[in-house]
Structures are given as C-alpha cells and as structure tokens.
Amino acid sequence: MLNRRVFTLAAGSLVLGASLAAPVLSQELTPVRFTLDWRIEGPAAGFMLARDNGYFEQEGLDVTFDVGNGSVEVIPRVATGAYDMGFGDINSLIKFLDEDASQPIKAIMMVYETPTFSVVGRSSLGITEDPASLEGKTLGAPPPDGAFAQWPAFVEASGIDTSDITIESIGFPVREPMLAQGDVDAVFGFAFSVILNLKAQGVPDEDIVPIMMADHGLELYGNSIMVNTTFAEENPEVVEAMLRALAKGFADAVADPAAGAAAVVAANDILDIDIETERLEMANEMNINTAYVQENGFGGIDFDRLDRAIAQLGTSIGISSDISAADVFDDSFLPPAEERMFE
C-alpha cells in the first residue's frame, strides 16, 4: 500500500477531508491531494458523490479536496507537485505546456466535454445574444478566469469590433455583484455559475443574457482532470483508481442531481440546495452529459478535435510550438468506455 507524503494544510485554506472510513481502515488508504478549480458548488457533485458514496474508499484511496481560485490556477498547483491531481482548464494547460513542454502535468479525463465559457450580460444594459451587443460596453474580467482567457479566440470567431470595448479587471467575489449593480455591462465566467449567482443577487431571470462562446465556432474543450506526471509514473494504479471512482461519482451526479446537490450542500452549508440543484442540472445538460459523451462515454476526447482546438488557440493565446493533442491528453489511465457510460 502506498503512502507517499504527508500533506500539511495551508493556513486558512478550506479543506474537506474525504475519508469516511473507520480509523483502522484509514491507516491503510493511499492519500491523494486534489485541488478543485473553485469552491464547492453543484457542478462539483461528481467529486463529492465519489467520496460520499464510498468509491474512493473502495479503491483504497484517501482523497483530500482543496477548493481553488479559478480553473487556471490549478495548473501550477499540480505541475509544482503541491497537489497530485486537480480539476482545471485544458486550454490554459495547452498554453502552459506550449511555453514549457517539460512541465510534469497532463490532462487525463475530460469532464466539461463542451466548455462553459461565456460572457453574461443583462438585457436591461443592452446585451443580447448577439456578441456584437458587447461593442461599446464595459466587461468585467477576473484575470485567472478560464473564460476570459479565450476572449481573443471568441473575438475572432464572432467578428466583434473591440475598439470601443473596455475590459475592467475585477475579482471573483465582486463579479456578479458588480453586474447586478450595473457597474459593468457583462462579465466573463462559467455560465452556470454566473447565471445562478446573478439570480441570487436578485437579478430577474429574464434580464440575464448568456453568450456562450461554444455557440460561435470554438471547438475547445473545457475543464478536465489533470495529474502531476511524476506522481502518475510513480503511482499509475492510484491514478487509475481515482478515475474509476470519479467516473462513478459523475455518473451518480448525472443520474440523480438532487443527491448531487445534497452532497455539495453538505460540504458547503452556506449554499442553497435549490440553486445548486439547478446549477448541477445546467452543467450536466450543457457541459458534462453531452451528445458525444452519451455516444462515446464520459472522460475521453476526440484527439482530432483537440488538435483543431489547439490550432484555434494559436489565435487566442499565441501557441508557438508544435504541441499536439497527444502532448496534452493521456487517455491511458481511463477505465474502459463501457464503464464510463451514463445511464
């Protein structure tokens, strides 16, 4: 049994101990340090259900989750070895490896088969579903946000004139409040998070207008499970066990969103279960349980599509090397496709 390292928690960080095993069993479990992209909300239900339903324990794992500060920040956390695995934006990972191919990190399981990158505005502020409605507006952008990272590709694909668009750098905590108060006209973010956070701020549903980047010609993927490749080389059976457990957890979250929402609320009790149920259902429909996943199984990718996405990223984030899909994504740890099919 592997017990690699002792994990010292950073002061002030929110940590969720994943082991529900009896003390005698917990001593036999293999610890895995995992960083999420964001705080625990509905779309994280697959992680919480893998824990709560005992799938990690069945695989001999003691998984510790830390919340994140954006899907881009996950990458250096995993690459430096601060975490063994994480959940982050594969497009930002492509750029990271383009700049330094020697970095020990790869994506190994796709979760958001369709990315949830969006610009969300309010109709009362002049925003419509037409990206051209953003012209002349002020857009709030958290710098670490994965959606904001794709702004250049979105601009080219949609033909927006950015000459009179103002980008205002804002923090995640004030993103939705600033839009709700009309301090900015639209914000970048994951659609399911921004929409529901705006509703929680009192913005009427009919006033909220999401502009989905995937609807405007982008072939990008979204967030995936990432692994420190040094960890994976030393512990391949642990990585395979993690993916088996996560495939079951996400299958449960798709099959029973109410149970998934209950799991995230149990982990983060400031949440409203009705909002998180809706958020999870949106993520399942838009990003996780897509037509491709229903046909091919959860977790894998189309390597040709990822190569096309890399070419597209050359426009948005300046890919300068000959990096290919095989350099970014390793599907060798995935369980067989028949074990990754949703009901």
Side-chain angles (χ1 to χ4, degrees), residues 36-38 70-72 74 86-91 107 109-117 146 190 192 221-226 287 298:
L36 297 169
D37 58 330
W38 189 235
S71 55
V72 177
V74 169
F87 179 52
D89 173 37
I90 194 171
N91 305 293
M109 172 181 264
M110 183 55 59
V111 176
Y112 293 161
E113 196 275 330
T114 297
T116 186
F117 304 144
F190 285 9
F192 51 68
Y221 283 98
N223 274 24
S224 65
I225 306 299
M226 301 176 182
N287 314 115
F298 170 74

Side-chain angles (χ1 to χ4, degrees), residues 5 39 55 59 62 104 111 113 220 250 297-298 314 342:
R5 309 173 207 173
R39 60 191 175 220
Y55 301 141
E59 294 285 356
D62 180 8
V111 176
E113 196 275 330
L220 308 182
F250 277 91
F298 170 74
F342 292 154

Side-chain angles (χ1 to χ4, degrees), residues 137-224:
K137 304 297 185 183
T138 298
L139 313 183
D145 183 72
F148 178 53
Q150 302 313 320
W151 172 241
F154 176 68
V155 167
E156 178 169 297
S158 60
I160 299 173
D161 179 359
T162 61
S163 60
D164 58 355
I165 292 177
T166 300
I167 303 292
E168 183 172 342
S169 180
I170 61 175
F172 284 114
V174 300
R175 177 175 55 188
E176 288 85 2
M178 288 186 69
L179 180 54
Q181 294 166 14
D183 295 330
V184 294
D185 300 304
V187 296
F188 293 88
F190 285 9
F192 51 68
S193 289
V194 176
I195 291 171
L196 294 176
N197 291 341
L198 283 173
K199 291 169 70 172
Q201 291 283 324
V203 179
D205 188 45
E206 58 272 19
D207 193 25
I208 301 172
V209 182
I211 301 174
M212 302 300 297
M213 294 184 177
D215 291 340
H216 297 276
L218 298 186
E219 293 201 77
L220 308 182
Y221 283 98
N223 274 24
S224 65

Side-chain angles (χ1 to χ4, degrees), residues 72 75 89-99 110 115 117 145-157 213 217-222 226 304-321 323-325 328:
V72 177
I75 297 166
D89 173 37
I90 194 171
N91 305 293
S92 299
L93 174 63
I94 291 167
K95 179 59 177 175
F96 188 74
L97 292 174
D98 172 60
E99 293 175 347
M110 183 55 59
F117 304 144
D145 183 72
F148 178 53
Q150 302 313 320
W151 172 241
F154 176 68
V155 167
E156 178 169 297
M213 294 184 177
L218 298 186
E219 293 201 77
L220 308 182
Y221 283 98
M226 301 176 182
D304 291 337
R305 173 183 158 188
L306 184 55
D307 275 327
R308 293 194 299 272
I310 292 172
Q312 208 163 39
L313 289 170
T315 298
S316 66
I317 54 179
I319 300 297
S320 58
S321 71
I323 189 171
S324 70
V328 178

Side-chain angles (χ1 to χ4, degrees), residues 251-266:
D252 288 354
V254 167
D256 190 351
V264 300
V265 171

Side-chain angles (χ1 to χ4, degrees), residues 225-249:
I225 306 299
M226 301 176 182
V227 69
N228 181 289
T229 53
T230 302
F231 174 82
E233 289 169 4
E234 295 173 352
N235 306 278
E237 73 286 1
V238 172
V239 178
E240 292 171 354
M242 275 291 295
L243 299 195
R244 284 194 298 269
L246 289 174
K248 293 176 182 176

Side-chain angles (χ1 to χ4, degrees), residues 42-85:
F47 300 106
M48 298 300 101
L49 288 177
R51 178 198 64 185
D52 295 353
N53 291 342
Y55 301 141
F56 292 138
E57 184 179 333
Q58 291 170 14
E59 294 285 356
L61 305 176
D62 180 8
V63 182
T64 300
F65 290 112
D66 279 7
V67 298
N69 191 35
S71 55
V72 177
E73 189 177 286
V74 169
I75 297 166
R77 286 184 173 191
V78 174
T80 59
Y83 292 86
D84 304 314
M85 302 177 73

